């Protein structure tokens, strides 16, 4: 019995060597395929001359680490202006500056919504007003009584939302 057992052990070693050879061949093929794919990807990722030019034009820093960007306000031309009292010119991080005064010197405009037709100057839309004048929702056109010059009067023309002044 020991002789057939020895043959079986020898045969299994042969099978183990064959499996190891198959595994190592598969591993080599996988490594070569991965390297080929990576090098092909690198070759395809090269930028076109136009892309390289754009990268150079819009790069953040040059090869020495200095900024290559132009300042934001370098091409802005500011006109002449003056600030009436109590305003003063402020130039704090803006290109051209602005007129500024503290709230206690110039009150902020605190707009208040007034009741509908509180002034009495709201008038109805023209009878032939297009549907675009009627809104949808809260976007309805609001008409006000026009202040006509002498010799003119409020008149609704074709396609008008609101009356307008026209010669009699």
């Amino acid at each position: 019995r020991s002789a057939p057992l020895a043959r079986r052990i020898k045969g299994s070693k042969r099978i183990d060597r064959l499996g190891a050879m198959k595994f190592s061949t598969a591993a080599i093929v996988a490594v070569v395929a991965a390297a080929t794919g990576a090098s092909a990807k690198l070759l395809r990722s090269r930028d076109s001359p136009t892309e390289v030019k754009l990268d150079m034009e819009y790069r953040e820093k040059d090869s020495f680490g200095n900024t290559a960007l132009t300042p934001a306000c370098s091409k802005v031309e500011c006109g002449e202006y003056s600030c009436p009292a109590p305003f003063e010119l402020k130039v704090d991080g803006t290109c051209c500056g602005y007129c500024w005064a503290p709230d206690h010197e110039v009150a902020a405009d605190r707009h208040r919504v007034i009741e509908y037709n509180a002034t009495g100057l709201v008038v109805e839309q023209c009878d032939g007003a297009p549907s675009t004048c009627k809104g949808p929702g809260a976007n309805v056109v609001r008409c006000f009584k026009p202040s006509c010059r002498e010799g003119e009067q409020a008149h609704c023309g074709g396609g008008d939302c609101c009356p307008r002044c026209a010669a009699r």
Side-chain angles (χ1 to χ4, degrees):
R1 289 195 175 205
S2 65
L5 182 64
R7 278 190 211 141
R8 275 191 243 151
I9 292 173
K10 265 188 178 178
S12 66
K13 284 182 183 176
R14 208 178 286 162
I15 292 172
D16 288 343
R17 271 193 227 147
L18 186 60
M21 285 176 55
K22 285 182 182 178
F23 177 77
S24 63
T25 304
I28 290 171
V29 168
V31 168
V32 169
T36 304
S39 65
K41 186 178 180 183
L42 284 173
L43 288 174
R44 282 192 302 268
S45 70
R46 287 199 177 144
D47 295 333
S48 70
T50 305
E51 290 170 325
V52 170
K53 182 180 176 192
L54 285 173
D55 284 346
M56 294 298 285
E57 187 176 345
Y58 294 106
R59 66 185 175 184
E60 186 177 341
K61 294 184 179 181
D62 63 12
S63 58
F64 299 105
N66 300 320
T67 183
L69 299 175
T70 57
C73 298
S74 66
K75 296 181 181 177
V76 175
E77 294 180 21
C78 301
E80 289 185 33
Y81 49 92
S82 62
C83 299
F87 292 96
E88 58 187 49
L89 179 64
K90 288 261 187 177
V91 186
D92 52 359
T94 61
C95 292
C96 297
Y98 57 93
C99 295
W100 179 86
D103 283 345
H104 71 275
E105 290 186 31
V106 177
D109 181 13
R110 307 285 182 214
H111 176 74
R112 294 184 191 172
V113 177
I114 57 172
E115 224 177 283
Y116 177 76
N117 203 14
T119 60
L121 296 175
V122 176
V123 296
E124 294 295 320
Q125 292 182 359
C126 295
D127 291 334
S131 61
T132 54
C133 301
K134 309 231 184 301
N139 297 328
V140 177
V141 173
R142 186 176 291 177
C143 300
F144 295 92
K145 179 182 176 186
S147 298
C148 299
R149 294 181 288 203
E150 197 174 313
E152 295 181 341
Q153 70 183 83
H155 170 73
C156 284
D160 290 342
C161 291
C162 303
R164 60 186 171 134
C165 296
R168 294 183 202 180

